[in-house]
Amino acid sequence: MIKRELYMSRIRPFIGGELIKVMTGMRRSGKSVMLELIQHELLVSGVKPEQFISINFEDLRYTHLLTAKTLHDEIIRRTEDIDGKVYLFFDEIQEVKDWEKCINSFRVALDCDIYITGSNAKLLSGELATYLGGRYVEFVIYPFSFSEFMELYRTVKPENSVAQGFQNYLLSGGMPYLSNLRYEDEPSRQYLMDLFNSVQLKDIVKRNKVRDVDLLERIIAYIMANVGNTFSASSLVKFFKNEQRTVAAETILNYIRYCVDAYLFYQVKRQDLQGKQILSTNEKYYIADHGIREAVFGGNMRDINLILENIVYMELLRRGYKATVGKAGDKEIDFVCEKRGQKLYVQVCYLLASEDTIQREFGAYDSIRDNFPKYVVSMDEFNMSRNGINHKNIRDFLTAEEWN
């Protein structure tokens, strides 16, 4: 188990406070481990183990607690004999019917510190805002970054170089459990397939009562094939029409939203950098874990340019950046990133193999006149920085502590 300090450093200031700590993110991305890491910090600080009550609602032993009333009564009963503050850890809370009423009640009735996790954005953002009204703080937990991946990879395959580790990362992605499978190809693929099926069934189909599962599967396959490519609902309507299926654009948008709510995909808007406005058509989508794409769809090495983009985008999210696709005249910048008033521009490509490619990637910045950092990121080993634009090998970019 690695410490995931990127997240702990954000959570730590809220430990012991009255705000409810909510950890969201895709199924099996490491939320349960974050609860364990928090418990470890509390134990080190002197909290006694008997002050903890920890329940994973996907564990069949707790099926009798899947309503707000039964859970409320159980926790009240178990806290009667606990001296001092009670620390409540609820994993996959969305399995509990009317869970938010129960959590609110604990916050009012008990001297407690509450931590909850869940795998559905709609449940744990829009509804949280309604029911908990500003009394919570949310942390999205993502699959492993390349740095986190290497931390475990070195313990499994210490003889391999960082470059070999990156090759493995390109195919297997960053789901934490893969280290238990020693990153072996076939077991890893099987695990990722099962994970994908679980997300599709539990977090998309069942939760949203999806009727046309075949259509959903086709939409997911289309988005996987086109990660990093701009497309619109109308282009999907045309695609299905060619396959002799008539589908309304609204249905397609709803199904895509269900996938985004389940943290399977992330939507990236396009921004006109000259008109300073968000464009309403042709968004891009990236997948939470590119290893899932390889297991389900395949072709990560064939589409390596898009996969590198996907990896960089997820790293931007982990570090707290908001990213849009930048449009400047007839040129496009892969990522225009903002965090606390600071900007960062990133172009991603596979190799700067020709003068035309170099001109295209560096030339994307020709009309950008500000002094914020600008990067071109690729697999090249040699530094080709020029005109104040930084060129970085992608491994170095992903493992750098800061970008400036």
Side-chain angles (χ1 to χ4, degrees):
M1 185 166 70
I2 65 172
K3 293 185 177 179
R4 307 205 80 175
E5 183 57 28
L6 177 72
Y7 302 105
M8 285 305 301
S9 63
R10 294 171 185 167
I11 296 168
R12 200 171 282 122
F14 299 96
I15 291 178
E18 63 176 317
L19 292 177
I20 297 161
K21 274 66 71 177
V22 181
M23 271 143 276
T24 59
M26 191 173 70
R27 191 173 288 271
R28 299 188 212 166
S29 59
K31 301 185 297 295
S32 303
V33 170
M34 294 309 305
L35 296 185
E36 291 177 31
L37 291 169
I38 292 164
Q39 289 177 21
H40 176 72
E41 291 227 354
L42 287 166
L43 290 170
V44 169
S45 72
V47 176
K48 296 181 176 64
E50 52 266 30
Q51 292 174 260
F52 296 159
I53 296 177
S54 186
I55 299 175
N56 184 335
F57 292 105
E58 292 202 313
D59 188 328
L60 286 174
R61 291 176 296 172
Y62 301 114
T63 50
H64 62 294
L65 299 179
L66 296 184
T67 67
K69 183 72 168 70
T70 55
L71 177 60
H72 178 269
D73 292 349
E74 174 73 5
I75 297 302
I76 295 299
R77 182 186 66 77
R78 289 173 63 175
T79 55
E80 285 175 352
D81 300 325
I82 297 177
D83 292 327
K85 188 186 284 284
V86 179
Y87 296 84
L88 302 175
F89 299 89
F90 298 130
D91 210 352
E92 299 296 354
I93 190 73
Q94 77 273 357
E95 301 297 330
V96 178
K97 189 176 188 303
D98 296 328
W99 62 271
E100 62 286 336
K101 296 174 184 174
C102 186
I103 295 297
N104 242 343
S105 178
F106 295 149
R107 196 184 57 77
V108 172
L110 299 173
D111 177 15
C112 62
D113 187 14
I114 303 174
Y115 301 83
I116 63 178
T117 80
S119 305
N120 188 275
K122 181 185 175 192
L123 190 79
L124 289 170
S125 56
E127 292 182 17
L128 264 181
T130 302
Y131 291 112
L132 303 182
R135 291 182 286 269
Y136 71 96
V137 58
E138 183 177 3
F139 307 94
V140 181
I141 310 299
Y142 301 101
F144 280 166
S145 66
F146 178 56
S147 293
E148 290 174 318
F149 170 88
M150 283 305 298
E151 199 174 325
L152 276 184
Y153 186 79
R154 286 190 183 101
T155 67
V156 175
K157 302 190 176 184
E159 72 282 2
N160 284 5
S161 66
V162 175
Q164 287 171 309
F166 189 69
Q167 287 295 322
N168 204 313
Y169 186 66
L170 282 171
L171 294 174
S172 60
M175 296 312 293
Y177 188 78
L178 295 185
S179 64
N180 297 76
L181 305 174
R182 300 188 60 80
Y183 301 105
E184 297 296 332
D185 290 346
E186 201 48 49
S188 295
R189 185 176 291 108
Q190 183 63 52
Y191 171 81
L192 292 170
M193 280 289 296
D194 290 345
L195 167 58
F196 168 75
N197 289 333
S198 180
V199 170
Q200 182 173 275
L201 178 64
K202 293 183 179 179
D203 300 323
I204 302 175
V205 174
K206 281 189 175 179
R207 188 151 303 285
N208 299 288
K209 298 180 175 62
V210 171
R211 294 177 188 171
D212 195 340
V213 177
D214 177 67
L215 176 63
L216 173 70
E217 289 173 347
R218 287 167 181 259
I219 290 172
I220 289 174
Y222 184 93
I223 298 174
M224 281 192 181
N226 289 280
V227 290
N229 286 325
T230 53
F231 65 87
S232 63
S234 58
S235 62
L236 261 169
V237 169
K238 290 176 186 172
F239 171 77
F240 286 120
K241 191 173 182 181
N242 290 336
E243 297 201 338
Q244 280 71 55
R245 287 203 62 165
T246 302
V247 185
E250 186 180 358
T251 302
I252 289 171
L253 288 171
N254 284 336
Y255 280 20
I256 292 175
R257 190 179 74 251
Y258 299 157
C259 295
V260 171
D261 284 346
Y263 296 99
L264 180 60
F265 297 123
Y266 289 84
Q267 183 193 66
V268 187
K269 299 278 191 185
R270 294 168 72 235
Q271 178 183 3
D272 186 333
L273 297 175
Q274 292 167 336
K276 293 185 169 55
Q277 62 187 28
I278 297 294
L279 303 170
S280 59
T281 58
N282 292 357
E283 295 94 356
K284 287 187 177 185
Y285 290 87
Y286 294 97
I287 191 166
D289 181 72
H290 56 281
I292 291 176
R293 183 188 190 268
E294 175 66 22
V296 175
F297 180 78
N300 276 13
M301 298 311 291
R302 180 192 64 229
D303 303 324
I304 189 166
N305 203 52
L306 301 178
I307 299 307
L308 296 180
E309 243 183 71
N310 202 113
I311 289 169
V312 168
Y313 175 71
M314 293 307 299
E315 185 65 21
L316 292 166
L317 288 190
R318 279 185 203 95
R319 299 195 187 201
Y321 285 93
K322 290 184 178 177
T324 55
V325 178
K327 184 177 179 296
D330 60 348
K331 295 178 180 176
E332 191 170 274
I333 296 168
D334 289 332
F335 302 115
V336 180
C337 322
E338 293 191 42
K339 180 169 72 170
R340 295 193 292 272
Q342 296 299 305
K343 266 191 181 179
L344 180 77
Y345 300 93
V346 186
Q347 278 287 98
V348 185
C349 70
Y350 173 38
L351 290 171
L352 296 167
S354 68
E355 192 57 38
D356 285 347
T357 307
I358 291 169
Q359 289 296 333
R360 183 183 70 239
E361 300 301 330
F362 285 88
Y365 295 121
D366 284 349
S367 63
I368 309 299
R369 301 299 181 196
D370 62 37
N371 293 318
F372 290 114
K374 300 169 182 68
Y375 283 93
V376 172
V377 176
S378 74
M379 292 280 285
D380 296 281
E381 301 290 343
F382 298 105
N383 189 337
M384 301 189 203
S385 300
R386 60 191 66 195
N387 304 326
I389 300 166
N390 299 301
H391 171 245
K392 280 273 190 186
N393 173 275
I394 189 165
R395 300 189 306 273
D396 297 335
F397 182 79
L398 295 171
T399 54
E401 286 193 17
E402 290 184 6
W403 300 319
N404 48 38

